[in-house]
Amino acid sequence: MVEVRSLARLLLLPVHMVLSVLKAAAGLVLPCRVRDLSGDIVLITGGGRGIGRHLAREFARRGAKKIIIWGRTEKCLKDTADEIKLIGTDCSYFVCDVGNREEVYKQAKAVREKVGDVTILVNNAAVVHGKSLIESDDDALLKSQHINTLGQFWTTKAFLPRMLELQNGHIVCINSVLALSAIPGAIDYCTSKASSFAFMESLTLGLLDCPGVNATTVLPFHTNTEMFQGMRLRFPTIFPPLKPETVAAKTVEAVQKNKALVLLPWTMHALVILKSILPQSALEEIHRFSGAYTCMNTFKGRT
Ligand SMILES: NC(=O)c1ccc[n+]([C@@H]2O[C@H](COP(=O)([O-])OP(=O)(O)OC[C@H]3O[C@@H](n4cnc5c(N)ncnc54)[C@H](OP(=O)(O)O)[C@@H]3O)[C@@H](O)[C@H]2O)c1
């Protein structure tokens, strides 16, 4: 009996897969269900500047109820919060280093008491040391893993349980295409992003049977913020950097449409396909041609 059921499931698998692909394709052209953000309390780590600040703006413009931003530099946080309040959205800030587990748990408690239950968590904060393994200071290597990867463990552990109780929540990770295709000269960053990608994959699948709670991973290409300032791109006209406002808009749209994975720009899907079919020597030619080997030589890091 069990074997008959397993066989039936096996036969139905391709049918379910085809239906899922058709549903996803239809979602590209037909209007789909869009999350109304008016009841949402959104927390953005690294919300004081860069992509994080644009995310705060975008969530506010699209009607989020309250926005909370975390970061290490009070001035940036205050400036962003003041700007968001001018849009007419309640915005509070907390100084919090996401690499410090005790501080994350302490500030998460303060957020719950002072603002309420977070229903959308955006793990955006990150640093880049930007050196080769041999040139890197050990503490700097540890710091980027603590902030970029482990920081997400602590923030997610702090807010996910209540989302599961409420059956209402969304965890977002601003990752990077470098999680899928690493470059030399930023070994700390690429490792932390690949690790964070696995964290999100595992988390997303773990949420399959949790109604009302979902996850989104965003993988942007080089974006015009302070993070990679000084990096030399070989063909900036062919591969121009993304605008942080575009990354923010696409991210909020993905949350509202409940998309699990977003590559920015969408042409980056070609990278994933090429990586899985080409031999290493051919991939090395692409890296040589694009200048990815040497683009970090002029880079000073952003910690
Ligand atoms: N720029 C790019 O080319 C690019 C491309 C792909 C993906 N990304 C990703 O996009 C996200 C945002 O990057 P960005 O370009 O906006 O960089 P950014 O301008 O350097 O901003 C980084 C943000 O993270 C915060 N932050 C850093 N360490 C923190 C810590 N320990 N605790 C709390 N906040 C911390 C910073 O604030 P404080 O310094 O005040 O703490 C700042 O608000 C990152 O995850 C990055 O990896 C960026």
Side-chain angles (χ1 to χ4, degrees):
M1 190 60 186
V2 177
E3 276 173 16
V4 175
R5 232 181 273 149
S6 304
L7 184 67
R9 279 203 190 128
L10 183 67
L11 292 174
L12 278 175
L13 177 65
V15 179
H16 286 306
M17 284 172 67
V18 170
L19 285 176
S20 301
V21 172
L22 290 176
K23 201 174 149 198
L28 294 176
V29 282
L30 299 174
C32 61
R33 223 185 117 244
V34 170
R35 185 184 177 117
D36 171 13
L37 300 173
S38 63
D40 282 310
I41 301 186
V42 184
L43 189 147
I44 304 162
T45 68
R49 55 189 170 80
I51 294 171
R53 176 181 270 205
H54 286 276
L55 282 166
R57 282 183 191 146
E58 195 63 34
F59 272 110
R61 277 196 209 113
R62 294 193 190 210
K65 184 179 172 193
K66 291 182 186 179
I67 291 171
I68 302 150
I69 49 174
W70 280 9
R72 297 166 304 177
T73 317
E74 186 161 9
K75 187 179 178 319
C76 301
L77 293 170
K78 187 180 178 311
D79 288 351
T80 305
D82 287 346
E83 189 195 320
I84 299 303
K85 283 183 206 151
L86 280 180
I87 302 176
T89 305
D90 185 322
C91 184
S92 22
Y93 69 85
F94 295 73
V95 175
C96 181
D97 176 349
V98 297
N100 181 330
R101 183 164 42 122
E102 281 74 34
E103 208 173 302
V104 168
Y105 292 155
K106 190 176 133 217
Q107 293 298 45
K109 189 164 174 276
V111 163
R112 270 191 296 275
E113 287 166 1
K114 291 183 188 155
V115 190
D117 290 316
V118 169
T119 52
I120 299 179
L121 166 67
V122 187
N123 284 315
N124 163 74
V127 291
V128 51
H129 180 49
K131 287 200 171 77
S132 73
L133 181 67
I134 309 297
E135 288 168 336
S136 293
D137 175 69
D138 290 355
D139 288 335
L141 290 173
L142 276 173
K143 189 176 170 185
S144 32
Q145 310 316 305
H146 277 295
I147 295 173
N148 302 5
T149 309
L150 290 172
Q152 297 184 41
F153 282 53
W154 318 139
T155 55
T156 307
K157 271 197 88 178
F159 294 109
L160 182 60
R162 187 67 184 135
M163 292 180 186
L164 294 171
E165 270 174 31
L166 295 171
Q167 299 200 340
N168 178 20
H170 207 110
I171 308 285
V172 185
C173 169
I174 306 297
N175 203 298
S176 164
V177 290
L178 296 182
L180 304 178
S181 182
I183 54 170
I187 199 162
D188 62 316
Y189 182 80
C190 297
T191 306
S192 71
K193 290 293 178 183
S195 166
S196 145
F197 184 73
F199 168 78
M200 282 306 285
E201 252 191 331
S202 177
L203 187 81
T204 307
L205 288 178
L207 291 174
L208 273 183
D209 291 327
C210 303
V213 184
N214 298 294
T216 295
T217 304
V218 183
L219 302 157
F221 174 65
H222 176 48
T223 307
N224 216 346
T225 66
E226 291 169 51
M227 180 165 261
F228 285 102
Q229 242 173 33
M231 188 177 96
R232 198 184 55 227
L233 288 171
R234 191 162 180 194
F235 299 114
T237 41
I238 305 175
F239 304 111
L242 292 163
K243 290 182 185 158
E245 49 268 46
T246 307
V247 176
K250 295 280 182 197
T251 300
V252 183
E253 189 188 311
V255 172
Q256 289 192 283
K257 293 187 174 170
N258 195 18
K259 287 189 189 162
L261 185 73
V262 181
L263 276 119
L264 293 174
W266 67 270
T267 45
M268 286 294 135
H269 282 277
L271 186 77
V272 181
I273 297 167
L274 290 177
K275 268 206 88 168
S276 57
I277 55 173
L278 289 181
Q280 175 66 15
S281 53
L283 291 170
E284 285 167 7
E285 286 309 320
I286 296 176
H287 280 296
R288 275 206 184 90
F289 171 77
S290 68
Y293 268 128
T294 52
C295 67
M296 298 299 276
N297 290 356
T298 49
F299 179 67
K300 298 276 178 278
R302 179 90 189 153
T303 57

